[in-house]
Amino acid sequence: MVVKLIGYILCDRGINYINRVTFKSQEINCIYPINQAYQFIYEKMGKVSLITKEFNTTLTKEQEFVVNKIKVKSHFYITTNTCNTLIDSPLSINSALIFDFEKTNDYKFILRLFYIAKQFIQFLCYRRDVYLPNVDLYAPYENVKYLKFATLHIIDELHSCDLNSLKEKRYISQSLIVGYEGKILADIADNLLYLRHLPETYKSGRLIDASRFIMIMAAFEWEFKRMYPDGIPKDSNTIQIENEAMEAIEDLINKSKGKLKKKYKFLKNLISSDNLQSKIIKTGNDFDDAIGNFGKNLYELNNEILDYSKMGDRLANQRNNFAHGNLNKDFIGFSLLDLIYLEYIIYAMQLRYYGISDINIRKAINNLFRLNYYIE
């Protein structure tokens, strides 16, 4: 029998229960900046003093979410460790993402927490290749509430960090989503936040092929349903016409049989549904105040004017060409520009859904896509 090894736990104590998992990485050091935990004092003759802040001052407010009916409390904090060996740095400062919960020996649950944390960081970095090399496990031990006793190692995590993206600040910092971390983590745990369109790396995200085009469009469709669960609001006249059409086609359904009846049922579902172009027009107008300037500038740089109606028409047609295999159709050039702006809109939809302010949405998208706007 061959068993695939997903990961392993290295223990230094004989403890069977876990009640805390902490994650440390270069991405987390940037998302929750480590430089807020210390300050330098420059003196004469090259003497520099570094003063670290107390632990409690770097601890964020707890956020809660539920995984497998188990309540998990999450927060960020910054750790400071000293070392007296000659080959290691005498001082190390790292940010950590913490998950606390009732003690358990369910290792599948621990593994699930790992993937939730990873997806959370992926969402904040808009790429899949985030690196979580340090996963520490804690347990209640004697009179201590949390005692580190083991480390979790995931086999597929043996790779390096994209330092260039971090140096360019292509990530959403915790300060822009403060108070909403729990809601985001909860939707990741429940598989409600659309993340399938995230590129594998930042560089691959700049390349658009047919499959990536379709996935970004799918992300928009999913987030539109969440943002507008009742669809696009309609006036009374439109509602009346749709109701009359429903009654007429319902009568046809009742009078028909077999394949014809199925066709009528299919047409019935189309009567009140919103097409892709109208969805993009609605969303574009609703988010224009928040990120419209990003879009207008993007189109102006390409000698085009931002028009949500034309944008929706181009995206709908190109999506259909890809989805239905229309090789005889020419690629709609400006649909690529539309798709780039749609990526901004999708993030704006996701962030506003959680209640994040428009100013923080602008800052997040400005940083994530490195748009280089000055935002007060």
Side-chain angles (χ1 to χ4, degrees):
M1 182 173 65
V2 177
V3 179
K4 181 181 178 180
L5 185 64
I6 297 175
Y8 57 91
I9 296 175
L10 293 180
C11 304
D12 58 16
R13 292 175 184 267
I15 298 177
N16 297 322
Y17 292 95
I18 303 168
N19 68 342
R20 167 178 281 188
V21 181
T22 67
F23 305 92
K24 298 177 185 176
S25 71
Q26 293 283 17
E27 284 89 357
I28 296 175
N29 282 346
C30 295
I31 291 168
Y32 190 62
I34 58 174
N35 59 9
Q36 62 184 308
Y38 61 84
Q39 65 180 50
F40 289 111
I41 298 177
Y42 297 93
E43 303 179 30
K44 296 180 179 180
M45 303 299 293
K47 181 180 178 181
V48 179
S49 299
L50 184 146
I51 300 178
T52 59
K53 297 181 181 179
E54 294 181 7
F55 167 77
N56 289 337
T57 64
T58 69
L59 192 64
T60 63
K61 186 177 180 181
E62 284 186 347
Q63 303 285 310
E64 291 186 358
F65 63 103
V66 177
V67 180
N68 299 345
K69 298 182 180 180
I70 299 174
K71 185 181 294 184
V72 180
K73 295 181 179 180
S74 172
H75 55 267
F76 288 90
Y77 82 120
I78 299 176
T79 63
T80 303
N81 297 306
T82 58
C83 179
N84 289 324
T85 64
L86 298 178
I87 59 174
D88 295 313
S89 173
L91 178 68
S92 63
I93 301 175
N94 291 285
S95 292
L97 173 62
I98 303 174
F99 291 163
D100 291 334
F101 40 87
E102 291 295 325
K103 66 178 184 179
T104 181
N105 58 3
D106 183 350
Y107 298 111
K108 287 185 178 179
F109 172 72
I110 301 301
L111 187 63
R112 180 80 180 107
L113 291 182
F114 170 83
Y115 287 118
I116 290 171
K118 184 173 181 178
Q119 288 179 299
F120 180 57
I121 303 304
Q122 288 173 336
F123 170 67
L124 297 178
C125 293
Y126 196 53
R127 54 185 173 84
R128 295 182 185 277
D129 64 335
V130 300
Y131 183 37
L132 296 177
N134 297 313
V135 183
D136 296 327
L137 307 181
Y138 293 73
Y141 185 73
E142 295 180 350
N143 295 324
V144 180
K145 189 174 182 180
Y146 302 107
L147 176 70
K148 178 184 171 183
F149 76 99
T151 55
L152 171 65
H153 299 267
I154 305 298
I155 302 300
D156 293 338
E157 286 299 293
L158 302 178
H159 60 82
S160 59
C161 172
D162 182 0
L163 289 176
N164 286 333
S165 290
L166 296 179
K167 289 177 181 177
E168 293 175 351
K169 297 183 179 180
R170 295 183 184 274
Y171 53 82
I172 299 174
S173 64
Q174 183 271 345
S175 62
L176 297 179
I177 60 169
V178 63
Y180 302 99
E181 303 96 314
K183 291 182 178 181
I184 298 172
L185 287 164
D187 278 0
I188 291 174
D190 293 334
N191 199 30
L192 295 176
L193 179 63
Y194 201 96
L195 300 173
R196 297 176 185 177
H197 66 302
L198 298 185
E200 186 62 34
T201 65
Y202 164 71
K203 288 185 178 179
S204 66
R206 299 303 88 200
L207 302 175
I208 304 295
D209 56 13
S211 59
R212 179 151 166 73
F213 193 104
I214 293 294
M215 292 308 293
I216 293 173
M217 297 306 302
F220 171 77
E221 293 274 21
W222 177 267
E223 294 301 338
F224 184 88
K225 290 179 185 177
R226 294 215 300 163
M227 182 64 64
Y228 306 97
D230 298 323
I232 299 174
K234 300 170 183 176
D235 57 39
S236 58
N237 186 48
T238 301
I239 294 173
Q240 181 180 349
I241 292 172
E242 288 184 354
N243 290 337
E244 291 176 0
M246 282 286 191
E247 291 175 4
I249 202 165
E250 189 67 39
D251 185 55
L252 292 171
I253 291 172
N254 294 331
K255 293 179 180 178
S256 59
K257 296 179 181 180
K259 291 183 178 180
L260 181 59
K261 188 170 188 174
K262 289 182 179 179
K263 287 290 185 181
Y264 283 140
K265 286 183 176 180
F266 173 76
L267 293 174
K268 179 183 175 181
N269 293 329
L270 296 178
I271 290 175
S272 59
S273 63
D274 301 316
N275 61 47
L276 179 58
Q277 182 183 19
S278 63
K279 291 177 183 178
I280 290 176
I281 294 171
K282 170 64 176 173
T283 309
N285 288 328
D286 285 356
F287 284 84
D288 192 71
D289 288 343
I291 62 169
N293 285 337
F294 295 156
K296 293 179 179 69
N297 186 62
L298 177 66
Y299 283 84
E300 286 175 4
L301 289 174
N302 291 273
N303 298 317
E304 182 68 9
I305 297 174
L306 173 59
D307 184 316
Y308 292 115
S309 179
K310 293 180 180 179
M311 174 183 174
D313 181 61
R314 289 190 295 255
L315 286 172
N317 287 329
Q318 188 58 56
R319 191 271 304 270
N320 291 340
N321 289 342
F322 281 143
H324 299 297
N326 297 330
L327 296 179
N328 60 324
K329 301 288 186 179
D330 291 333
F331 180 77
I332 303 171
F334 276 114
S335 69
L336 185 60
L337 198 64
D338 300 326
L339 196 74
I340 293 172
Y341 184 45
L342 192 67
E343 289 182 281
Y344 306 167
I345 292 177
I346 291 169
Y347 254 105
M349 294 169 72
Q350 291 173 324
L351 295 174
R352 184 182 283 181
Y353 178 83
Y354 296 112
I356 295 170
S357 67
D358 283 357
I359 182 66
N360 281 353
I361 289 174
R362 282 194 290 276
K363 289 180 179 179
I365 294 174
N366 190 47
N367 292 341
L368 197 63
F369 296 97
R370 205 187 180 195
L371 302 181
N372 296 322
Y373 276 77
Y374 172 74
I375 301 175
E376 293 184 2

